[in-house]
Amino acid sequence: PNGGVYSKQALEGLCEVLRDFPHVYVLADEIYDQLVYSDDETVTAAQLCPSIAAEPDMWQRTLTVNGFSKAYAMTGFRLGYLAAPQALARACTTLQSQFTSCA
């Protein structure tokens, strides 16, 4: 995480390069997507912080991680989520179940 937000044009350029590499997946950390501000009150959060998964042909190869603690001031809550195609989400669930325990 670098605290930066890519413009829609930058994401489109990245997607253009990625089209030449169809086996490359994208892990998008969007934990700060609701904390991007503008003086223009007509601009939405989605316009300020576009998601690479919304670009053409990118959903099926993008894993988006996000959570609630940053945007909703829930410090310490540690509740996050993954949005991904079902096959990738299942593989991530298998991995995650081996990394954590409640013991």
Side-chain angles (χ1 to χ4, degrees), residues 73-91:
M74 300 164 78
T75 306
F77 199 53
R78 308 284 186 248
L79 181 61
Y81 61 89
L82 169 79
Q86 189 173 26
L88 293 174
R90 283 189 175 145

Side-chain angles (χ1 to χ4, degrees), residues 63 82 85-101:
L63 297 95
L82 169 79
Q86 189 173 26
L88 293 174
R90 283 189 175 145
C92 289
T93 298
T94 300
L95 284 172
Q96 190 274 337
S97 69
Q98 302 304 310
F99 289 142
T100 59
S101 70

Side-chain angles (χ1 to χ4, degrees), residues 3 14 16 28 30 52 55 57 65 72 76 79-80 87:
L14 178 59
E16 179 128 351
E30 297 187 1
I52 195 165
E55 294 297 316
D57 303 319
V65 294
Y72 301 103
L79 181 61

Side-chain angles (χ1 to χ4, degrees), residues 31-69:
I31 192 72
Y32 293 104
D33 69 335
Q34 299 297 314
L35 299 175
V36 179
Y37 304 100
S38 170
D39 290 333
D40 183 352
E41 293 180 12
T42 64
V43 177
T44 66
Q47 291 169 315
L48 288 172
C49 189
S51 176
I52 195 165
E55 294 297 316
D57 303 319
M58 290 306 296
W59 161 249
Q60 66 273 16
R61 55 196 284 196
T62 302
L63 297 95
T64 302
V65 294
N66 207 326
F68 301 101
S69 62

Side-chain angles (χ1 to χ4, degrees), residues 2-42:
N2 64 10
V5 175
Y6 291 108
S7 68
K8 182 153 178 61
Q9 294 79 19
L11 287 178
E12 289 169 350
L14 178 59
C15 292
E16 179 128 351
V17 171
L18 289 170
R19 284 187 188 92
D20 292 334
F21 302 94
H23 299 299
V24 174
Y25 288 87
V26 175
L27 178 62
D29 179 356
E30 297 187 1
I31 192 72
Y32 293 104
D33 69 335
Q34 299 297 314
L35 299 175
V36 179
Y37 304 100
S38 170
D39 290 333
D40 183 352
E41 293 180 12
T42 64

